[in-house]
Amino acid sequence: MLHLMGNPRVKTTRVPMKPNFFENDLDWQIYRAAKTPGPGAYNTKGTHDLNGGRWGTQKTRSYLDEAEWQGRQTPGPGEYKVEEAIRYLDSASAGGKFNMSKPKTFLDLEVYAKRGVPDPGLYNITNSSPARGGKFNMSKPKSDVDWLILRASKIPAPGHYGVPDIRTGMLGARFSTARPKTSLDWEIARAKKTPGPGAYNVEGMLPN
């Protein structure tokens, strides 16, 4: 069943399966294409209609037009009413004047902050140190060299180890004089135990 989108002028065509009387696939494709409606056979009216719609025809301001319009809304130098502005300021700030105070400088603030601090000669140091009998530490701690010497003095020297006398404690000891086999010796020993080609008895193994 071949169903295409749209409203074709022809009804939906049921394409049959490939019959047996076609000689090849090309004849079958030609027959199938003849049963399929072409582009001009579809009725597209009413499918994409948008009632009431239209393209916009307004003309927006360009950058230059926008700048010109903003300039028209701004008054020019000769359009300000200076006299009215002065009268308004006089009435709104009656009695105003400039600030004539003299704030303290950094030096003045330092002098003001140090007024409550006593001078060096005004301190009473007779009773300020209740701990008596103190003295400077005169000890001499060990340096790195001193610590190394101390550690070395606690380690026994080579002659201080209790090594048993070989001459009395291990009687009959001697170096080994054995000669272990090398890889070649092991191969020779293995070959000696393997029978050669003429050593096999094949008389009873072959069929009569």
Side-chain angles (χ1 to χ4, degrees):
M1 182 89 180
L2 181 62
H3 182 72
L4 301 176
M5 296 180 62
N7 297 322
R9 297 175 184 175
V10 296
K11 296 182 179 180
T12 303
T13 305
R14 183 183 297 274
V15 180
M17 299 298 294
K18 178 182 177 182
N20 296 328
F21 56 83
F22 288 102
E23 295 181 357
N24 49 35
D25 293 338
L26 180 60
D27 295 340
W28 163 245
Q29 292 295 336
I30 294 173
Y31 173 78
R32 183 175 180 274
K35 297 296 183 179
T36 304
Y42 292 95
N43 183 13
T44 58
K45 293 182 179 181
T47 305
H48 302 286
D49 295 341
L50 298 176
N51 297 327
R54 64 174 183 176
W55 296 98
T57 58
Q58 68 274 12
K59 294 182 179 180
T60 58
R61 296 190 186 97
S62 63
Y63 178 78
L64 182 59
D65 296 336
E66 184 69 22
E68 185 179 354
W69 183 82
Q70 291 290 344
R72 292 177 181 178
Q73 306 300 322
T74 305
E79 297 181 358
Y80 289 96
K81 298 179 180 180
V82 183
E83 296 178 357
E84 294 181 4
I86 294 175
R87 287 196 298 269
Y88 173 77
L89 293 175
D90 291 340
S91 60
S93 59
K97 62 179 181 179
F98 289 101
N99 186 8
M100 303 301 292
S101 61
K102 294 182 179 180
K104 291 182 175 65
T105 61
F106 175 78
L107 182 60
D108 297 334
L109 292 175
E110 290 294 325
V111 173
Y112 179 79
K114 294 297 187 291
R115 289 190 303 174
V117 179
D119 295 332
L122 299 179
Y123 290 97
N124 185 9
I125 59 175
T126 56
N127 298 324
S128 61
S129 179
R132 301 181 182 276
K135 63 179 181 179
F136 289 99
N137 185 6
M138 303 300 291
S139 61
K140 295 181 179 181
K142 292 182 177 62
S143 63
D144 295 339
V145 178
D146 297 333
W147 282 110
L148 291 175
I149 295 174
L150 178 63
R151 179 178 178 274
S153 63
K154 296 180 179 181
I155 298 175
H160 292 171
Y161 291 96
V163 182
D165 191 359
I166 299 177
R167 295 170 297 179
T168 60
M170 300 179 63
L171 298 177
R174 65 176 182 176
F175 290 99
S176 175
T177 59
R179 299 176 63 185
K181 291 183 175 65
T182 62
S183 299
L184 181 60
D185 296 336
W186 281 111
E187 291 294 332
I188 295 173
R190 178 177 176 277
K192 288 181 180 180
K193 297 180 180 181
T194 304
Y200 290 96
N201 185 12
V202 297
E203 294 181 356
M205 298 177 61
L206 299 175
N208 296 329

